[in-house]
Amino acid sequence: MSEQITNYDESNIKTLDWKEHIRLRPGMYIGKLGDGSSPDDGIYILIKEVLDNSIDEYMMGHGKNINIRLENNYVTVQDFGRGIPLGKLADVASRMNTGAKYDSKAFKKSVGLNGVGIKAVNALSSDFIIKSVRDGNARVIEFNAGNIISDHTESGVGEKNGTTVSFLADESIFGPYTYNNEYIESMIKNYTYLNTGLVIKFNGTSYTSKNGLLDLLNDTLTEEPLYPPIHLTGKDIEIALTHGTGYNESYYSFVNGQHTTQGGTHQTAFREAIVKTLREFFKKDYDASDIRTSIIAAISIKIEEPVFESQTKTKLGSKDMSPGGNVSVRNYVIDFLKEHLDNFLHKNPSTAEIINKKIQEAEKDRKAISGIQKKAREFAKKASLHNKKLRDCRIHLNSKNDRAEETTLFITEGDSASGSITKSRDVNTQAVFSLRGKPLNTYGLTKKIIYQNEEFNLLQAALDIEEDMDNLRYNRVVIATDADVDGMHIRLLMITFFLQFFPDIIRRGHLYILQTPLFRVRNKKETLYCYSEEEKTKAIDKLKNNVEITRFKGLGEISPDEFKGFIGENIRLDRVRLTNEDYIHDLLEFYMGDNSTERQDFIIENLRLVEDLVEEDFV
């Protein structure tokens, strides 16, 4: 037995105050920290926690305008609601389990529930200022890391009622970080879709919505829908849906204005309800997967005192519409859709016919490849036991059986590159999948090709995404290729594969490109790795004497010891993103289709543009 080296007595028991606990365990309150490169990084959760309180005011009928300003990482959120009662302002910002959300009369269907969010923002900010104005009186309190710095009141102020919160996320907690305005704008748009008439102004630009989830679908579609989105509204529920031309299901789900990115009971109920409704309407026992193939839908519900599965509120756990109520979320969603969608389809037979035809086509495709699927599954299952292409990691799930945030699959080209990453990776959370040469251009091909092509079949099996995107085994799927023409081509072919068959991997923010250094600049005292010509020039200027410069031609040239730094804490990733302006079909047709002459003209024209810009810089 090992020797006991530590005594366990009363001195080992510690009690932390609220701010100490939040700063020690920030992940419990805001999820992962991050540097701002991911939309679910903690700095965006801080904005959301403050904004949620202003949204709750609007939902209760107070203040239709919210102003957000971001300057030098300093965030200010101002609403024009009732203003927090001045006597309780300090408690609301710094006393745990304090807030108005416990009183269902004041906030019946609130986003925030536990009075924790604003305290987390306070504790995790190096500067936090909260101001409330009520009927000509104001109180302003400033904090540093949760500690009060100043507190004063004013009377006779000429400002409108409301609350203003300003904060600077603490770099000693988060490290260096940068906000991505696109992520903030996306968050703001979701709030406006769910609160028609609300106007949110971000750095001078106003966002609002007149048609709710219908606007959301129209603004986010990346392909032409088969029919105009169906928009259904009722008491405490709103649904918009259509079908596209792809192979996957795509959902946007919300509870009390909160974007539940991991779904929950309401999304599960919708998936069941759409199957029940369409089976009964068409009087055919269609397979559920055929009904839901390529569906694009948004669902929003409002319930009393919702139960989420974490403080970040990304998955709904509530089974009932209200505490102790006799109406379940499942039955509420199913009953609503069965009535309102059924009525819509009877009144719009042309749309009903398009949906029926789409289901039949999905059924035909599924049956056509069923035999190939079965053989491919058996092959992938057998191959996985001795799959030299996949060097898996040890951890896939966290304690709640959700996909672990830090899990990564690197898709590499060739043995040398995969060898370097394999030797330097974290075996617990990082897996490697090796491609053999250039993959197939899948543009215009059917899903049958996935099962007939060994590489894609094994990759799909490794990701576990055939049946359901929610089964994705890795949080980050990283394309890791050389920074040369061949490497760029492989990147494009892999992105084409995901766009063609699994676009939700991109929509949900799981697909990345690994950035690896192009140069190593070093002297006897120091080594610097550079990702661009500009960084190389700065490194040379810094090191000055006896500089040795190495140009990395491929990933295989970087030693495992060096690679360890590039795929660890200092990893540089570019997220592959889709916007509402990126129509998948048009993108693939232009870049991967047969229009080589048109592409050639595009390249030549853009090369001329680059040359002109370079000449202007030298002038």
Side-chain angles (χ1 to χ4, degrees), residues 265-395:
T265 52
H266 58 316
Q267 185 171 306
T268 300
F270 173 83
R271 296 178 74 233
E272 181 182 352
I274 193 74
V275 172
K276 284 178 173 287
T277 302
L278 294 181
R279 278 176 176 169
E280 291 179 12
F281 180 83
F282 295 119
K283 296 180 173 60
K284 292 184 179 179
D285 190 25
Y286 285 130
D287 189 270
S289 64
D290 297 330
I291 291 174
R292 295 196 298 253
T293 292
S294 77
I295 195 168
I296 306 165
I299 175 172
S300 170
I301 65 171
K302 294 179 180 179
I303 65 180
E304 290 188 25
E305 300 185 22
V307 176
F308 296 99
E309 295 194 1
S310 70
Q311 170 60 25
T312 53
K313 310 180 186 80
T314 55
K315 188 174 184 180
L316 179 68
S318 297
K319 293 184 178 180
D320 297 316
M321 294 296 290
S322 61
N326 55 8
V327 179
S328 70
V329 170
R330 176 181 175 273
N331 289 341
Y332 191 81
V333 174
I334 290 175
D335 291 346
F336 172 82
L337 204 63
K338 283 177 67 175
E339 177 184 350
H340 290 81
L341 181 57
D342 184 83
N343 289 342
F344 179 91
L345 295 177
H346 276 104
K347 294 176 182 178
N348 297 270
S350 59
T351 299
E353 181 56 33
I354 293 172
I355 294 174
N356 194 34
K357 184 178 179 181
K358 173 62 180 174
I359 296 172
Q360 291 172 351
E361 288 175 352
E363 182 181 54
K364 183 178 178 182
D365 289 344
R366 176 176 56 82
K367 289 180 177 179
I369 64 174
S370 60
I372 299 172
Q373 273 182 305
K374 185 176 180 180
K375 291 180 181 179
R377 285 187 192 129
E378 292 173 357
F379 172 77
K381 189 174 181 179
K382 291 177 182 178
S384 66
L385 299 176
H386 48 83
N387 186 358
K388 295 181 180 179
K389 288 186 171 297
L390 176 65
R391 295 165 179 85
D392 209 354
C393 55
R394 294 171 181 166
I395 298 172

Side-chain angles (χ1 to χ4, degrees), residues 215 298 464:
D215 287 340
D464 195 19

Side-chain angles (χ1 to χ4, degrees), residues 214 217-218 221 223-231 239-245 248-251 270 274 291-298 351 354-355 358:
L214 180 61
L217 239 55
N218 284 327
L221 284 170
E223 59 179 304
E224 193 68 33
L226 294 182
Y227 52 89
I230 299 169
H231 190 207
I239 290 173
L241 66 98
T242 187
H243 279 82
T245 57
N248 295 105
E249 306 170 44
S250 182
Y251 300 103
F270 173 83
I274 193 74
I291 291 174
R292 295 196 298 253
T293 292
S294 77
I295 195 168
I296 306 165
T351 299
I354 293 172
I355 294 174
K358 173 62 180 174

Side-chain angles (χ1 to χ4, degrees), residues 413-613:
E413 53 168 320
D415 294 333
S416 59
S418 63
S420 292
I421 294 181
T422 299
K423 292 176 183 176
S424 53
R425 69 186 174 125
D426 179 344
V427 296
N428 288 314
T429 60
Q430 294 178 326
V432 182
F433 186 92
S434 304
L435 297 171
R436 184 179 64 242
K438 289 186 179 179
L440 186 68
N441 179 2
T442 58
Y443 171 62
L445 303 179
T446 65
K447 202 169 186 179
K448 178 180 178 181
I449 192 63
I450 295 179
Y451 302 101
Q452 293 179 324
N453 182 279
E454 180 181 334
E455 300 249 309
F456 288 142
N457 181 29
L458 291 176
L459 177 59
Q460 177 186 250
L463 295 172
D464 195 19
I465 51 179
E466 178 192 3
E467 299 293 341
D468 194 330
M469 262 296 302
D470 290 339
N471 294 333
L472 180 64
R473 296 174 75 233
Y474 309 93
N475 192 50
R476 299 189 296 196
V477 180
V478 179
I479 301 172
T481 62
D482 292 341
D484 57 15
V485 174
D486 285 340
M488 297 294 179
H489 191 201
I490 291 174
R491 288 185 191 179
L492 195 57
L493 290 167
M494 289 309 304
I495 291 173
T496 299
F497 165 73
F498 287 112
L499 281 172
Q500 180 82 353
F501 299 111
F502 303 104
D504 266 13
I505 282 187
I506 300 175
R507 288 194 186 104
R508 298 184 187 185
H510 295 297
L511 188 64
Y512 296 83
I513 303 295
L514 175 67
Q515 294 299 318
T516 51
L518 298 175
F519 305 97
R520 179 180 61 210
V521 180
R522 66 183 177 184
N523 59 22
K524 291 183 179 180
K525 295 182 178 179
E526 189 174 2
T527 299
L528 299 175
Y529 297 96
C530 310
Y531 292 75
S532 66
E533 289 282 350
E534 182 182 4
E535 288 188 18
K536 183 186 74 171
T537 301
K538 290 180 179 178
I540 293 172
D541 290 341
K542 180 181 179 181
L543 300 185
K544 295 179 181 178
N545 299 323
N546 300 317
V547 171
E548 173 192 301
I549 304 171
T550 302
R551 170 67 161 93
F552 294 121
K553 295 180 181 179
L555 301 183
E557 293 185 350
I558 303 176
S559 70
D561 287 339
E562 288 179 301
F563 225 121
K564 194 168 292 186
F566 310 141
I567 61 173
E569 291 183 3
N570 299 319
I571 191 170
R572 291 197 192 184
L573 297 174
D574 286 341
R575 184 191 293 273
V576 180
R577 295 201 294 266
L578 273 175
T579 71
N580 59 309
E581 297 176 355
D582 298 324
Y583 267 53
I584 292 176
H585 178 269
D586 294 345
L587 278 173
L588 293 178
E589 185 175 40
F590 181 80
Y591 289 107
M592 305 305 291
D594 296 328
N595 56 329
S596 54
T597 303
E598 187 180 352
R599 271 200 308 274
Q600 181 178 332
D601 291 342
F602 172 81
I603 293 169
I604 292 172
E605 186 59 37
N606 279 272
L607 281 174
R608 287 173 182 160
L609 177 61
V610 171
E611 289 170 357
D612 290 342
L613 290 173

